[in-house]
Amino acid sequence: MASPMRNLLTDPARYLQSFRLFLANSTEHQCMREFMEQQLPAVIASIGNGKPTINILSVGGGAGEIDLVILSKVQARYPGVTINNDVIEPSADQVLKYKERVAGTSNLENVKFTWHEETAYEYESRMNAEKKSKKWDFIHMIQMLYYVKDIPATVRYFHSLLEAQAKLLVILVSGTSGWETLWKKYGSAFPLDDLCSYVSSADFKKILDSAGLKYQLHELPSHMDITSCFTEGNKDGELLLDFLTETYEFSKTAPPELKRQVMEELRKPECSEERDGKVFFNNNLSVIVIEP
């Protein structure tokens, strides 16, 4: 009998709902912001040397929260320089939110935004068809490589677009995170289809090593409050479980034994920490900065 489980991405509205709840319940964006504040200035120290214009490519820019933090750091490092910021983002809803965020943000006079409502693969195919290979001073791919069919090929392509002093910055879940544990154990039981792949920084480092690319790795501690997942029938808990398993209505469609095992796993120290009656899932991230 075919399993009634289906991938969360088959319902974009529920995916976005669960993703926003994940952001609200986790320190995901806080720890990224801290990295951008403290470490990014050193990363971008050479990308715009002597250039009148800096070209930045955001692959999977989402609703732009982190993109705008990055832009503010580039502006601070290169005052007055014109910045072309191109964004690849397949979700119309996210692009709209990004545009609204830009409209409500001051000090962006010297930034020119171009949105491409398409996937990274569609962008690459279109550029190849148009025989264009624009070079970039800074490319970032934040939490998006899970939604790419061929990760080595995608990284190779965008890496090939780097200028001599440029950097490619990737953020993924860490090989030390609860995601790694959960996916390695139960990934094969979740309905992946072709919509996403489970990749952590541990897998990604192997890809970079085999491609002979030079990179630096930074670990960002992060957690997510998943306490509500353990209250039967709790709406937020159900959405967070969907997000953790990439499964549409996991608690209703998963076989009872799988659900029991996953709920048990989520409480184990390899995945989470219990403090003050709450359960905090280990959401550690890795930032990988790749050289041209």
Side-chain angles (χ1 to χ4, degrees):
M1 198 180 100
S3 160
M5 291 167 78
R6 62 185 172 103
N7 190 283
L8 180 57
L9 289 170
T10 57
D11 189 316
R14 189 167 172 96
Y15 171 78
L16 271 177
Q17 213 186 342
S18 67
F19 174 63
R20 292 199 176 118
L21 191 64
F22 156 69
L23 289 181
N25 277 273
S26 72
T27 57
E28 171 98 350
H29 275 180
Q30 291 90 307
C31 77
M32 283 188 203
R33 277 203 186 91
E34 262 169 46
F35 175 85
M36 301 307 169
E37 293 291 335
Q38 293 160 16
Q39 322 250 24
L40 189 67
V43 172
I44 58 170
S46 66
I47 65 167
N49 283 349
K51 295 189 169 184
T53 306
I54 294 175
N55 296 315
I56 298 178
L57 182 61
S58 162
V59 188
E65 296 103 316
I66 301 298
D67 283 21
L68 292 191
V69 178
I70 290 172
L71 286 169
S72 70
K73 295 291 148 205
V74 176
Q75 286 177 308
R77 176 70 184 77
Y78 302 100
V81 167
T82 301
I83 300 170
N84 291 322
N85 188 71
D86 279 38
V87 182
I88 301 168
E89 170 53 56
S91 163
D93 183 80
Q94 293 285 76
V95 169
L96 187 66
K97 294 260 184 315
Y98 196 139
K99 289 178 175 174
E100 286 168 359
R101 184 167 268 114
V102 167
T105 305
S106 54
N107 309 331
L108 292 173
E109 298 78 22
N110 64 329
V111 185
K112 184 169 160 280
F113 289 90
T114 308
W115 285 273
H116 307 278
E117 201 178 294
E118 58 193 345
T119 65
Y121 180 71
E122 285 162 352
Y123 175 86
E124 179 182 344
S125 304
R126 185 169 60 80
M127 288 296 142
N128 288 338
E130 295 171 10
K131 300 210 173 354
K132 285 182 183 164
S133 62
K134 182 171 177 182
K135 295 281 188 179
W136 302 89
D137 301 301
F138 188 49
I139 300 176
H140 53 85
M141 309 167 116
I142 297 175
Q143 291 288 48
M144 59 68 66
L145 280 173
Y146 321 107
Y147 310 112
V148 160
K149 282 210 177 30
D150 186 338
I151 294 168
T154 299
V155 170
R156 247 193 332 270
Y157 172 71
F158 286 102
H159 182 264
S160 76
L161 305 182
L162 292 176
E163 289 279 18
Q165 300 288 316
K167 295 281 190 287
L168 168 58
L169 180 142
V170 171
I171 299 185
L172 280 174
V173 297
S174 169
T176 66
S177 68
W179 295 102
E180 171 84 351
T181 308
L182 188 67
W183 291 346
K184 287 281 179 282
K185 254 194 184 172
Y186 296 105
S188 59
F190 299 149
L192 273 191
D193 305 331
D194 274 345
L195 293 168
C196 71
S197 57
Y198 294 138
V199 57
S200 72
S201 62
D203 311 302
F204 192 61
K205 282 188 332 200
K206 290 179 192 142
I207 292 171
L208 296 179
D209 290 338
S210 67
L213 295 176
K214 291 199 340 217
Y215 59 91
Q216 288 100 39
L217 187 76
H218 307 264
E219 290 287 309
L220 312 185
S222 174
H223 61 259
M224 161 170 55
D225 184 348
I226 59 168
T227 314
S228 61
C229 293
F230 301 95
T231 307
E232 197 64 45
N234 181 296
K235 285 279 171 283
D236 283 0
E238 287 181 359
L239 278 166
L240 287 175
L241 268 177
D242 284 11
F243 192 76
L244 283 161
T245 60
E246 286 281 348
T247 304
Y248 175 77
E249 299 206 331
F250 175 80
S251 58
K252 292 188 176 75
T253 62
E257 183 54 21
L258 176 64
K259 185 181 171 185
R260 187 189 67 72
Q261 287 176 7
V262 166
M263 299 312 289
E264 245 174 50
E265 191 67 38
L266 285 173
R267 276 191 182 271
K268 287 182 185 168
E270 293 80 9
C271 274
S272 302
E273 182 188 357
E274 301 207 24
R275 308 197 288 275
D276 310 324
K278 291 192 161 171
V279 183
F280 293 100
F281 182 77
N282 177 331
N283 185 57
N284 289 359
L285 302 175
S286 296
V287 179
I288 302 106
V289 180
I290 306 166
E291 306 288 332

